[in-house]
Amino acid sequence: VDDTDIRQIDPAELRRFIGYVPQDISLFRGSVRDNIIFGSHDVTDDAVLFAAEVAGVSDFIKDTAMGFDLQVGERGKQLSGGQRQSVALARAILLDPPLLVFDEPSSAMDNTTESKLINRLNKIVEGKTLLVISHRASVLALVDRVIVMHQGAVVADGPKAQVIEALKSGKLVS
């Protein structure tokens, strides 16, 4: 990472530099705020509010009397899939890590929610490394480079526009 052998870096320190959103979101019994700050120390309210705004959490908690104290239930079952993804995204961006890894970050969101999310994320990913794993073409708005895999092999790797054109013209394995 940044020309440093990761075996030379304390794993806990390395993890602080990576914001990760898995495909299968697991939240913990507690409040929305508890789930955003989970595992973080000395987090300011401003940081929580900013992460919640970018991730779209603010969009759904503003309609509840509980706000950030809204209980998510065991594994987040009190929230919709898109809401769980928003909470996980807020957790990932909370500490402003330089590397973000998102695996299907908006798969459970409707098109409008996803579009708003992409617009907000575009404002914060500048200067960061963002790795997005997705089947949804809409998230490509966040990236400059696209790698296409088919049956475990890389079949295309290059600038976004070039790879998309190759896909459209049928020059890649489908």
Side-chain angles (χ1 to χ4, degrees):
V1 174
D2 286 337
D3 296 323
T4 302
D5 184 336
I6 62 170
R7 294 175 294 187
Q8 301 296 322
I9 303 171
D10 177 3
E13 184 74 13
L14 181 61
R15 285 184 204 106
R16 283 199 331 220
F17 291 104
I18 301 170
Y20 175 60
V21 177
Q23 185 173 8
D24 183 28
I25 306 297
S26 282
L27 299 182
F28 308 96
R29 181 184 302 266
S31 70
V32 168
R33 185 180 195 288
D34 292 340
N35 274 275
I36 292 173
I37 67 169
F38 182 80
S40 301
H41 305 288
D42 301 323
V43 178
T44 67
D45 287 341
D46 286 341
V48 173
L49 290 171
F50 178 78
E53 182 63 34
V54 171
V57 172
S58 299
D59 293 344
F60 70 87
I61 64 166
K62 70 179 184 210
D63 297 329
T64 70
M66 299 293 293
F68 282 95
D69 291 328
L70 177 69
Q71 296 298 300
V72 304
E74 192 67 38
R75 295 187 43 87
K77 295 298 183 190
Q78 299 293 338
L79 302 178
S80 71
Q83 291 169 334
R84 285 193 299 273
Q85 285 180 317
S86 291
V87 172
L89 282 159
R91 182 188 306 154
I93 63 177
L94 178 65
L95 299 178
D96 193 28
L99 172 60
L100 296 167
V101 180
F102 297 163
D103 188 357
E104 299 286 358
S106 59
S107 60
M109 294 179 184
D110 61 57
N111 291 340
T112 301
T113 303
E114 179 187 53
S115 178
K116 289 178 184 178
L117 172 69
I118 289 169
N119 288 334
R120 291 187 298 251
L121 285 173
N122 259 324
K123 295 175 185 172
I124 68 152
V125 296
E126 185 73 32
K128 296 183 183 302
T129 299
L130 172 64
L131 174 63
V132 179
I133 300 102
S134 183
H135 291 90
R136 296 178 88 165
S138 51
V139 297
L140 295 181
L142 294 168
V143 301
D144 300 319
R145 176 178 166 200
V146 174
I147 299 171
V148 178
M149 298 190 69
H150 180 70
Q151 296 181 343
V154 174
V155 295
D157 179 359
K160 176 173 52 177
Q162 184 180 0
V163 173
I164 289 172
E165 183 56 38
L167 284 167
K168 286 180 181 177
S169 64
K171 294 180 182 173
L172 300 179
V173 175
S174 58

